[in-house]
């Protein structure tokens, strides 16, 4: 067949690789960045084969280029910390839908950061972003080198004969690939012979929160606001009890203003509360907007952005008509709402009184240059904090903490050389090392950092840049004096406590800054706002009972070697039309199973229980896990029934912890 040529497009919206990192030679000759792919069969370039022994996701067994012949293949070279790569995901999904019978997309994950190279970490991102096409972990850059890739993201198109068509670097994959692919399909010489590719998408158990990323704390109003990013919602929690008191967003991704239960968000992240506590500002990252929630009426409106990612170069203007670039975090100082614009490598300022928005720091070029705030170069700023004068930000792709003050951008702590110097090391200023930090907070004395890829909470002296690891440093889950976290993405400070969005643990953690002891904030009452997916429900055996007073007996069994955490409160919330639960039995410290709840049965129906409890290893209580589950109990009222309903739940260890 005659191949079309996919023109090479090198855009500013791409993350380049260190020049000396891709010099390793390979046995496979492919076009260089300045060449075009041959246009005849005689001079065709066969697509390099995938090396054996790599980890694959979303498929039951490894794929091969040979086995994919008969259809077009689009190879997406990406690394999940790169915002430009994340911007490509909707393009890939659009191509997959449009060419469902002719095209298969393969994600080739070639990690920039050490943590990103771990298959389990990639799996979490695949689940977080709803990626269902096959993904291969190219941790050693074997596929990267064989395809002569030089930047993230890069797309290579392979024809049904297994030959290279061409490549594209940067964003804009749909606009570049779609016309080429359509032209090839319109060519009578193109034949699609392969059947549909069998995929096996990764699965996870539904949790009460899903990949929470950012928080806002209101100690006066006893409220904690949570960006429940994986559920596309904003959750309001009563701080003192952990009870969910409100939810905004209908739980599905989209873009729609309106009442709290009808509005739609798409991967919301940064949150900021107005000074009077009546409005919550939301960085609606996936929709490239800043939204406002009226906390009295529940109405959700768009404050800035158009719902579409802005073109390049980024330009400010009237807030409601100015396209934004993946706003990731917010910080309110007076009438200025600062926006960490991760997608354009800038910090923007939204004037709430005038309704104008525009760049505040960063030229839009991705680098580590300091100096004048508008001429400086940032690298995917993703977290903001301020003392009213200084504005600190977590510059994630440079793995550093930087500060804006006196119209200058300076380094506070972390790497200053380039975008590829990172690690985990305490030290002063540029001697310290971070790994893709996303969260930052200020408590009046210390700058606190959620050092995301190091799964650590770090403390920085704002005057000297002296950096220490406060807690964490190894991915996992443990409460107590030696807590563990899993890629925490957000952190807030209030009244001697740190509130952490422990993203990959799907939980909110609370740390005492005086002792370093951490606890998990157990949420209760979510069942009144959201039903989990079917595979996240536990359906008990039906119970036949008489009408009137009855007892619900709940028995919970734990894996061998584990027990209930004696210090963490466990919550048990039951609701349904069949009866009412004794409110005094909703929260229990150190529960002893079986537990008995008094209820009043009025009619047949379904009793729904929301259970949250912490359990630990018997021999090492600092290793604790969290179980949140919803149980449905079908109830049948019959005069011949009994007065006791027995329900048993078996707690299972998360994947990877089984013996």
């Amino acid at each position: 067949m005659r191949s079309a040529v996919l023109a090479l497009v090198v855009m500013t919206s791409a993350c380049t690789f260190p020049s000396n990192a891709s010099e390793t030679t390979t046995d496979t000759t492919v076009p260089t960045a300045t060449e075009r792919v041959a246009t005849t069969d005689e001079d065709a370039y066969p697509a390099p084969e995938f090396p054996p022994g790599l980890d694959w996701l979303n498929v039951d067994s490894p794929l091969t280029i040979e086995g994919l012949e008969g259809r077009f293949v689009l190879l997406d070279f990406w690394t999940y910390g790169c915002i430009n790569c994340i911007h490509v995901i909707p393009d890939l999904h659009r191509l997959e839908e449009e060419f469902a019978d002719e095209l298969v997309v393969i994600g080739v994950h070639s990690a920039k950061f050490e943590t990103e190279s771990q298959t389990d970490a990639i799996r979490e991102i695949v689940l977080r972003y709803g990626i269902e096409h096959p993904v291969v972990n190219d941790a050693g850059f074997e596929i990267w080198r064989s395809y002569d890739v030089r930047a993230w993201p890069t797309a290579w198109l392979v024809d049904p004969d297994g030959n290279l068509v061409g490549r594209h670097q940067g964003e804009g994959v749909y606009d570049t690939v779609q016309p080429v692919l359509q032209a090839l399909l319109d060519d009578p010489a193109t034949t699609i012979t392969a059947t549909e590719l069998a995929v096996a998408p990764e699965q996870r158990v539904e949790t009460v929160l899903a990949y929470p990323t950012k928080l806002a704390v209101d100690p006066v109003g006893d409220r904690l606001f949570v960006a429940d990013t994986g559920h596309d919602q904003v959750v309001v929690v009563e701080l003192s009890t952990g009870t969910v008191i409100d939810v905004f967003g209908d739980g599905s991704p989209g873009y729609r203003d309106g009442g709290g239960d009808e509005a739609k968000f798409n991967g919301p992240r940064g949150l900021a509360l107005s000074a009077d506590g009546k409005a919550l500002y939301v960085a609606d990252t996936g929709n490239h907007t800043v939204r406002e929630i009226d906390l009295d009426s529940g109405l959700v409106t768009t404050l800035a952005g158009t719902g579409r990612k802005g073109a390049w170069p980024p330009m400010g203007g009237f807030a409601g008509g100015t396209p934004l670039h993946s706003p990731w975090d917010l910080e309110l100082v007076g009438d200025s709402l600062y926006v960490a614009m991760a997608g354009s490598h800038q910090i923007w300022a939204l004037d709430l009184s005038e309704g104008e928005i525009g760049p505040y720091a960063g030229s839009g070029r991705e680098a580590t240059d300091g100096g004048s705030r508008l001429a400086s170069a940032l690298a995917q700023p993703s977290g903001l904090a301020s003392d009213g004068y200084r504005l600190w930000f977590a510059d994630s792709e440079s793995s550093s903490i930087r500060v804006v003050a006196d119209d200058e951008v300076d380094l506070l702590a972390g790497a200053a050389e380039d975008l590829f110097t990172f690690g985990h090391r305490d030290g002063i200023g540029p001697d310290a090392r971070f790994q893709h930090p996303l969260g930052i907070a200020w408590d009046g004395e210390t700058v606190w950092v959620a050092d995301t890829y190091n799964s650590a909470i770090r403390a920085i002296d704002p005057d000297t840049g002296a950096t220490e690891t406060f807690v964490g440093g190894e991915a996992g889950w443990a409460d107590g004096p030696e807590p563990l976290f899993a890629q925490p993405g957000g952190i807030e400070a209030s009244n001697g406590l740190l509130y952490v969005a422990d993203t990959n643990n799907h939980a909110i953690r609370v740390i005492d800054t005086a002792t370093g002891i951490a606890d998990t904030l157990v949420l209760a009452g979510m069942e009144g706002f959201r039903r989990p997916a079917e595979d996240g429900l536990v359906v008990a055996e039906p119970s036949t009972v008489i009408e009137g007073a009855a007892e619900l007996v709940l028995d919970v069994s734990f894996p061998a070697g584990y027990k209930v955490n004696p210090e963490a409160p466990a919550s048990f919330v039951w609701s349904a039309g069949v009866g009412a639960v004794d409110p005094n039995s909703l929260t229990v410290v150190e529960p002893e199973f079986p537990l008995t709840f008094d209820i009043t049965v009025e009619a047949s129906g379904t009793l729904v229980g929301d259970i949250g409890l912490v359990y630990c290893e018997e021999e090492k209580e600092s290793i604790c896990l969290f179980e949140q589950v919803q149980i449905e109990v079908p109830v049948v009222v019959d005069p011949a029934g009994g007065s006791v309903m027995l329900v048993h739940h078996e707690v299972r260890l998360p994947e990877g912890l089984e013996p």
Side-chain angles (χ1 to χ4, degrees), residues 2-58:
R2 180 177 176 82
S3 297
V5 177
L6 182 63
L8 175 68
V9 179
V10 181
M11 304 176 63
T12 56
S13 53
C15 304
T16 57
F17 200 74
S19 58
N20 64 350
S22 58
E23 292 175 355
T24 303
T25 59
T26 66
D27 295 330
T28 304
T29 302
V30 298
T32 66
T34 58
E35 293 177 330
R36 294 170 181 260
V37 178
T39 57
T40 66
D41 290 340
E42 291 77 13
D43 299 322
Y45 288 93
E49 187 56 86
F50 300 133
L54 301 184
D55 290 341
W56 286 78
L57 300 171
N58 287 336

Side-chain angles (χ1 to χ4, degrees), residues 308-394:
R308 298 176 64 87
K309 181 169 67 70
W312 199 267
M315 302 288 289
F318 169 65
T322 300
L324 309 182
H325 296 75
S326 292
W328 207 273
D329 200 13
L330 303 173
E331 179 73 10
L332 183 63
V333 180
D335 286 335
S336 294
L337 183 64
Y338 293 100
V339 183
M341 207 71 74
S344 63
H345 310 292
Q346 295 172 303
I347 296 171
W348 283 33
L350 169 59
D351 188 324
L352 295 174
S353 61
E354 299 295 332
E356 297 285 325
I357 192 170
Y360 174 75
S363 62
R365 184 169 56 90
E366 184 179 21
T368 60
D369 301 341
S372 174
R373 60 180 172 86
L374 286 174
S376 63
L378 316 185
Q380 205 170 306
S382 302
L384 298 172
S386 177
D387 62 357
Y389 168 64
R390 295 168 291 188
L391 181 66
W392 297 283
F393 61 98

Side-chain angles (χ1 to χ4, degrees), residues 21-335:
S22 58
E23 292 175 355
T24 303
T25 59
T26 66
D27 295 330
T28 304
T29 302
V30 298
T32 66
T34 58
E35 293 177 330
R36 294 170 181 260
V37 178
T39 57
T40 66
D41 290 340
E42 291 77 13
D43 299 322
Y45 288 93
E49 187 56 86
F50 300 133
L54 301 184
D55 290 341
W56 286 78
L57 300 171
N58 287 336
V59 287
D60 288 329
S61 58
L63 303 179
T64 63
I65 291 293
E66 181 181 5
L68 291 168
E69 290 184 4
R71 58 169 69 80
F72 285 95
V73 178
L74 185 66
L75 301 178
D76 170 44
F77 288 84
W78 66 303
T79 184
Y80 72 72
C82 170
I83 189 63
N84 309 115
C85 299
I86 301 304
H87 286 166
V88 166
I89 293 175
D91 281 10
L92 300 176
H93 183 63
R94 187 176 175 187
L95 288 168
E96 288 176 294
E97 287 189 333
E98 187 170 338
F99 301 102
D101 299 326
E102 301 90 5
L103 174 72
V104 59
V105 174
I106 306 291
V108 183
H109 192 276
S110 306
K112 170 183 173 179
F113 292 99
E114 179 183 353
T115 295
E116 290 178 338
S117 68
Q118 301 166 4
T119 300
D120 286 343
I122 301 170
R123 179 180 290 107
E124 293 293 348
I125 288 294
V126 164
L127 291 169
R128 190 188 310 185
Y129 285 98
I131 298 171
E132 295 189 349
H133 56 250
V135 174
V136 57
N137 183 4
D138 183 33
F141 286 81
E142 296 175 79
I143 307 175
W144 173 286
R145 288 192 294 266
S146 71
Y147 280 82
D148 192 38
V149 176
R150 302 297 178 92
W152 299 280
T154 290
W156 265 110
L157 185 63
V158 181
D159 70 20
D161 295 327
N163 295 318
L164 297 171
V165 174
R167 70 175 161 191
H168 169 77
Q169 289 179 196
E171 298 181 25
V173 169
Y174 178 86
D175 291 339
T176 303
V177 173
Q178 195 277 344
V180 173
L181 187 54
Q182 188 61 63
L184 288 168
L185 288 170
D186 291 340
D187 187 337
T190 300
T191 303
I192 303 297
T193 59
T195 58
E196 183 179 357
L197 179 69
V199 296
E202 301 292 323
Q203 302 291 325
R204 73 171 183 87
V205 176
E206 181 69 13
T207 48
V208 172
L209 296 176
Y211 302 106
T213 54
K214 298 292 184 181
L215 307 169
V217 181
D218 175 23
V220 175
D222 192 29
R223 295 177 297 183
L224 176 70
F225 301 92
V226 181
D228 189 11
T229 307
H231 286 135
D232 303 292
Q233 293 179 318
V234 176
V235 177
V236 187
V237 179
E238 189 174 58
L239 199 56
S240 58
T241 66
T243 301
V244 176
I245 55 178
D246 215 339
V247 173
F248 300 97
D250 71 355
S252 61
Y255 177 40
R256 185 171 66 201
D257 286 342
D261 57 353
E262 64 180 5
K264 286 182 177 290
F265 298 90
N266 187 358
R269 285 178 171 81
L271 305 173
L273 186 66
S274 65
D276 61 9
K278 294 183 178 180
L280 183 72
Y281 306 111
V282 182
D284 192 8
T285 309
N287 284 324
H288 308 284
T289 58
V290 175
R291 315 285 289 280
E292 179 179 356
I293 302 174
D294 185 315
L295 295 173
D296 289 332
S297 68
L299 184 65
V300 179
T301 56
T302 298
L303 196 61
T306 63
R308 298 176 64 87
K309 181 169 67 70
W312 199 267
M315 302 288 289
F318 169 65
T322 300
L324 309 182
H325 296 75
S326 292
W328 207 273
D329 200 13
L330 303 173
E331 179 73 10
L332 183 63
V333 180
D335 286 335

